[in-house]
Amino acid sequence: MTRSGPGGPAANTWRWARRHWLLPVVAVLWELVARRAEAVYFPPPSTILTRLREMWFSGSPGRLFLTDEAVADLLPSLGRLVVGWALAAVAGVALGVALGRLAWLAALAEPLLHLGRSVPPAALLPVFLLLFKIGTPMQLASIVYGVVWPVLINSMDGGRHVDRGYLDTGQVFRLSAATRLFHVILPAAAPKILAGLRLSVSLALIMMVISELYGSSEGIGHRLLEAQSQFDIPAMWAGIVLLGVLGVALNSIFLAAERGLLRRYARA
């Protein structure tokens, strides 16, 4: 029997529809207006989605419907995004928690940190090009530099404001430094750390595209630049829509992981 109570499929469908009803309405209006106006720079969504499928998702079922362009563009882009985000996350959390717990080190480092995060990441792309040349190392360096700041600042704030009662309890039980770090400090700072990591996901997507616009022969950013140079407006919009879908998907995955981690820390 199909459940229709508060937690049943019908209720879940209704909640989803109430949250997302505006998206199909905007898509239908865009379709009608674009077809009526015959706008060159704003093709209808049906044309954009058709072009998107032709470019990246019209392959064989054995390849998960990915075309050769998808393998050449999407997979390298996603790989750089994930690796760059992971490197920034590890460095940002480690350095941020250390600065949050060591006041003397934070006092020394904070002026440099504020100077570094005030420099727009895009302004350093020519420097990264000189240091690493065109290729994956340059793109990873760009992503890491652009992503690390919200992780570092939030981790520092979380490490600095751990409840004194937790630390005193760990001291009473004579916990080792490693045990205090992994079972007291990190769980207490987890909400702040996860907030920084969530902000960094969207920044990683932005920096991935920017780095590919400047120095790449493949990737979603390169494909966008190529579509612009060829005046292929539907292909350009297809890339933009794909980036939007990727951003929503990555945010949803992170939110699900965040809820699981926070529930685990709450139980601990």
Side-chain angles (χ1 to χ4, degrees), residues 96-108:
V97 172
L99 291 172
R101 298 308 308 156
L102 301 173
W104 64 269
L105 184 59
L108 288 175

Side-chain angles (χ1 to χ4, degrees), residues 14-241:
W14 174 242
R15 281 195 294 269
W16 187 92
R18 282 193 302 173
R19 290 181 59 189
H20 300 91
W21 64 269
L22 187 59
L23 183 61
V25 171
V26 171
V28 170
L29 289 175
W30 185 352
E31 181 81 22
L32 295 174
V33 172
R35 288 192 175 279
R36 183 176 181 84
E38 297 182 353
V40 175
Y41 299 106
F42 294 94
S46 58
T47 302
I48 296 170
L49 293 177
T50 300
R51 191 77 173 92
L52 187 146
R53 186 188 66 81
E54 291 172 350
M55 290 173 63
W56 289 306
F57 301 106
S58 58
S60 63
R63 296 179 62 180
L64 301 176
F65 300 100
L66 296 177
T67 63
D68 291 338
E69 281 186 318
V71 174
D73 294 331
L74 299 185
L75 299 185
S77 290
L78 289 175
R80 285 189 287 263
L81 186 152
V82 171
V83 172
W85 178 82
L87 290 173
V90 171
V93 171
L95 183 57
V97 172
L99 291 172
R101 298 308 308 156
L102 301 173
W104 64 269
L105 184 59
L108 288 175
E110 278 197 80
L112 290 176
L113 294 180
H114 292 308
L115 176 64
R117 74 189 187 101
S118 299
V119 177
L124 289 177
L125 286 175
V127 177
F128 293 141
L129 276 171
L130 288 174
L131 292 175
F132 302 105
K133 309 300 180 185
I134 292 177
T136 297
M138 170 265 175
Q139 292 155 356
L140 286 178
S142 304
I143 294 170
V144 170
Y145 183 84
V147 167
V148 74
W149 301 110
V151 182
L152 194 157
I153 298 300
N154 277 271
S155 299
M156 186 166 63
D157 194 37
R160 181 178 290 160
H161 294 99
V162 175
D163 191 289
R164 188 69 210 173
Y166 297 156
L167 299 174
D168 291 341
T169 302
Q171 193 170 8
V172 167
F173 283 97
R174 297 181 180 179
L175 300 180
S176 66
T179 303
R180 284 200 306 272
L181 174 64
F182 288 104
H183 293 278
V184 178
I185 296 172
L186 286 180
K192 286 280 188 181
I193 294 173
L194 289 171
L197 290 172
R198 184 183 176 190
L199 285 173
S200 69
V201 171
S202 58
L203 285 175
L205 186 64
I206 293 169
M207 290 308 303
M208 178 202 78
V209 175
I210 292 175
S211 66
E212 291 175 350
L213 288 173
Y214 270 77
S216 180
S217 58
E218 34 108 61
I220 302 174
H222 172 73
R223 196 61 60 190
L224 278 172
L225 195 62
E226 187 178 71
Q228 180 195 13
S229 64
Q230 296 174 358
F231 207 70
D232 190 347
I233 305 301
M236 190 172 69
W237 276 102
I240 293 170
V241 170

